[in-house]
Amino acid sequence: MRRARYLRNYVYQAEVKKLNELGAQGWVLVNTLQEGTTVRYLLRKDGLSQP
């Protein structure tokens, strides 16, 4: 049980890190969709944040 919680937390941290990296590159999270154990992220490139 502890190992499963550790793995979920590890995956969550990796997802947050990637979303932060994409946000820094001008991507905006529009929506999330959970399909079973899979989470899909809908992102769009925000043209206003580009120089």
Side-chain angles (χ1 to χ4, degrees):
M1 184 169 173
R2 182 177 293 176
R3 183 181 180 112
R5 186 171 54 234
Y6 169 80
L7 289 174
R8 279 194 305 272
N9 189 41
Y10 187 78
V11 170
Y12 172 77
Q13 289 178 3
E15 290 172 340
V16 169
K17 181 180 177 184
K18 187 61 178 181
L19 288 171
N20 286 337
E21 290 173 1
L22 290 170
Q25 296 172 12
W27 290 91
V28 177
L29 181 62
V30 175
N31 198 3
T32 59
L33 176 64
Q34 185 162 1
E35 300 174 346
T37 59
T38 301
V39 179
R40 296 181 183 265
Y41 297 96
L42 178 62
L43 299 126
R44 69 173 165 82
K45 189 74 164 183
D46 188 3
L48 298 176
S49 66
Q50 294 180 354

